[in-house]
Amino acid sequence: MKQGAQVGKFGDHIRGLREKRAGFDSAFSLRQVATRCGITPAYLSRVERDEVPPPGEETLVKLADELDEDRDVMLALAGKISSDLRAVILARPRLFAELIRALKSAPEHAVLRIVREVRDGDW
Amino acid sequence: MPTLESNRLVFRFPHIEESAQFSIEFQRTLRIPDTDRTYSLPPGLGLFPLRHVEDFADRLDHATISRGGVVMPMWQAEAMWLNFHSRRPYDGPSFPVAIKVAAGKINAVSGETWRPGLNRHPQDYMVSPQQPWLDGFAVKPGVIRQFVAMPLGDGYTVEHQISGTEEWGGLQIQVAPLKNHAWQKIRAAWREKVRTPHFAEDRLCDSSSRLMGLGAGGLMKQAIYPDQFQLDDWDLESMDRVFVTLLHARDWKSTTGESAPHHPPTAQEYSKAGLPWFDYYGCDQASLPGGEKLASIASVGELFKKKTGAAMPNCEDVETGVPKIVGPRQVRVGEW
């Protein structure tokens, strides 16, 4: 049924995120979230119960934005990588495979500092 | 320190709230006609690419490298808007931040030259999530003049009109979180509110300059909202800032090795295709008056006519139809 996604994890994760919010805000009911993401409540319900494979990239991104989840995390949990990231890796697959392995055990703050922090200067 | 993630600037304040996160996207858009008419909101046509300046230290000038931050490509006379997003914890409201935006170190909200910190008289910053986006310079209550990129040194920028020089160009952004005591107060109020049964539903002759500044484009309906917090509620010690260098898109490939984004559609092409314009449903709230100095700035179109004697291309008014109403969490997506 699933390809790449961790069995029983993806649907649980989506439901967990949504229900946490629904506990405080009725705008996060199954019906309302599904409508805002352009899918049917029945389909979202099946996704949450892991009865169908995770949706495509476009819907996953909408779900991530709706549930305030990081888009890459959402895609990774669904066993996918974003099309832009795929293009980056495919351009230099060996180099990026090496890079990811090298960073595997580095702490998160160190990875963030190396890869992503924006340096301030004189202005 | 802010991070660059998927072409967004991301600011985190984990010492105040673990999941507190605010991000800014730089949205491509069409340039609205530079006439007397005040337009609705144009669409977002995707994100500009952002790159760390130090990755191209051998291809950018020393001044650009010393300012740090990120670099972004823009075509001459291309427009842009800033999309703000405050992430909310599942059991709380969106985390508020104060955002100060300047172009060429001229404040886009007050028209004053860059001053550190946050200032109230006049207010020179915006508050997210109340302020969902910024499309330009606040010229009068509820009206902005669109951000339009023009080469530095040609005298089209707002920086040149107000300071008399074109030294900085680009965009300067500063973000301050709420102090912990103020955050806990609104978080507690939010919890109290949700416990109740009622749930609130919440193409020109190119200049030789590589660097760009922002000039003032056409008029657009957009309110800049007054701060509802006390000035002392903002944690100025935790402020982060970023310098965004605007590089002429013509030079993007030779600098970064990546293809430049395609030219954006004109307002005329967009309108002819029958695509939507937008209105913000929060636009009936009170608005700041707009910068006194910004009220009298000349638009890029007016300056172009004065310098060349010709009308700027693609400046004719367009039909916009009935605008689509959007809410604070919706990005104005233009299908193009």
Side-chain angles (χ1 to χ4, degrees):
Chain A
M1 181 271 294
K2 285 169 161 297
Q3 296 198 343
Q6 290 175 279
V7 176
K9 291 278 184 189
F10 180 73
D12 285 350
H13 184 69
I14 296 286
R15 191 172 60 242
L17 286 176
R18 187 184 59 72
E19 286 183 345
K20 263 191 205 171
R21 284 159 180 75
F24 291 94
D25 189 342
S26 60
F28 288 89
S29 68
L30 187 84
R31 179 170 299 277
Q32 292 201 42
V33 170
T35 304
R36 291 197 295 274
C37 293
I39 54 177
T40 64
Y43 176 61
L44 180 57
S45 170
R46 295 190 71 198
V47 168
E48 288 191 353
R49 284 181 281 130
D50 285 306
E51 289 177 4
V52 289
E57 181 174 340
E58 196 181 334
T59 303
L60 286 169
V61 165
K62 283 182 187 166
L63 273 169
D65 291 349
E66 191 58 43
L67 300 173
D68 264 335
E69 175 61 283
D70 183 276
R71 292 177 176 186
D72 288 325
V73 170
M74 184 69 89
L75 287 161
L77 284 169
K80 299 169 195 279
I81 57 170
S82 63
S83 39
D84 67 319
L85 205 53
R86 189 178 302 120
V88 169
I89 294 168
L90 285 176
R92 289 182 287 181
R94 288 181 65 175
L95 184 65
F96 278 100
E98 281 300 315
L99 178 70
I100 292 164
R101 286 192 189 100
L103 291 173
K104 186 181 164 191
S105 52
E108 193 173 331
H109 65 87
V111 177
L112 273 175
R113 196 180 314 126
I114 294 165
V115 185
R116 289 166 152 180
E117 277 191 359
V118 178
R119 182 179 62 83
D120 191 18
D122 303 321
W123 51 274
Chain B
M1 199 180 276
T3 55
L4 176 56
E5 302 178 28
S6 305
N7 295 318
R8 293 171 176 82
L9 290 176
V10 180
F11 301 79
R12 292 183 175 84
F13 305 101
H15 61 293
I16 298 170
E17 168 69 42
E18 201 186 330
S19 58
Q21 183 178 308
F22 170 72
S23 59
I24 302 181
E25 295 174 349
F26 298 79
Q27 281 274 352
R28 306 192 73 204
T29 191
L30 41 92
R31 179 163 49 83
I32 60 171
D34 186 350
T35 62
D36 292 337
R37 183 171 151 192
T38 302
Y39 277 81
S40 296
L41 303 168
L45 300 173
L47 305 189
F48 282 98
L50 299 175
R51 300 289 178 264
H52 295 273
V53 290
E54 65 260 33
D55 290 353
F56 309 104
D58 55 340
R59 281 169 257 173
L60 292 167
D61 63 276
H62 176 73
T64 299
I65 299 301
S66 70
R67 289 167 190 163
V70 295
V71 59
M72 170 180 126
M74 286 188 85
W75 292 106
Q76 184 167 327
E78 182 172 8
M80 61 161 253
W81 55 277
L82 308 179
N83 191 35
F84 304 139
H85 179 64
S86 293
R87 189 174 182 176
R88 55 182 282 199
Y90 72 88
D91 59 346
S94 294
F95 185 75
V97 295
I99 318 139
K100 195 149 95 163
V101 175
K105 295 184 78 168
I106 301 298
N107 193 292
V109 169
S110 69
E112 301 291 328
T113 50
W114 184 267
R115 285 191 285 164
L118 302 175
N119 302 284
R120 269 286 173 79
H121 304 292
Q123 182 179 316
D124 62 359
Y125 59 95
M126 297 156 285
V127 176
S128 173
Q130 186 186 19
Q131 187 78 36
W133 43 59
L134 178 71
D135 284 60
F137 300 94
V139 293
K140 52 184 173 177
V143 179
I144 58 100
R145 271 198 185 275
Q146 194 178 28
F147 289 135
V148 173
M150 290 301 279
L152 273 188
D154 289 359
Y156 284 100
T157 63
V158 169
E159 176 185 2
H160 182 263
Q161 291 188 61
I162 290 183
S163 72
T165 65
E166 287 189 311
E167 182 187 354
W168 299 99
L171 274 167
Q172 297 75 39
I173 294 169
Q174 201 161 31
V175 175
L178 214 53
K179 282 180 182 165
N180 193 35
H181 73 83
W183 166 239
Q184 295 308 335
K185 216 158 91 180
I186 64 163
R187 199 171 173 156
W190 187 89
R191 283 197 183 115
E192 195 54 44
K193 192 173 156 193
V194 298
R195 273 198 203 107
T196 63
H198 170 74
F199 286 95
E201 185 69 33
D202 290 317
R203 230 122 331 192
L204 298 171
C205 179
D206 262 358
S207 161
S208 58
S209 174
R210 276 163 58 87
L211 298 181
M212 312 282 267
L214 292 174
L219 297 164
M220 194 189 304
K221 279 188 271 180
Q222 186 162 97
I224 309 293
Y225 301 115
D227 183 6
Q228 306 293 323
F229 295 96
Q230 301 296 315
L231 189 57
D232 188 48
D233 286 342
W234 298 107
D235 185 354
L236 303 188
E237 286 178 9
S238 301
M239 255 187 160
D240 275 330
R241 60 177 211 165
V242 176
F243 195 105
V244 182
T245 294
L246 304 180
L247 184 70
H248 197 306
R250 177 195 58 205
D251 297 314
W252 188 247
K253 184 152 192 168
S254 61
T255 304
T256 66
E258 300 169 18
S259 297
H262 55 76
H263 281 278
T266 64
Q268 288 73 16
E269 288 166 334
Y270 185 84
S271 182
K272 207 171 163 186
L275 295 168
W277 293 68
F278 302 87
D279 262 346
Y280 179 48
Y281 72 58
C283 62
D284 55 346
Q285 296 175 32
S287 172
L288 291 179
E292 221 171 276
K293 291 178 183 165
L294 294 172
S296 56
I297 53 170
S299 72
V300 169
E302 288 163 354
L303 291 170
F304 186 83
K305 188 154 195 181
K306 203 167 150 191
K307 286 170 190 281
T308 66
M312 201 163 158
N314 305 314
C315 259
E316 310 80 36
D317 275 322
V318 296
E319 276 304 316
T320 56
V322 179
K324 278 173 77 166
I325 306 296
V326 289
R329 284 173 60 87
Q330 295 169 273
V331 175
R332 295 133 46 181
V333 181
E335 306 291 337
W336 190 262

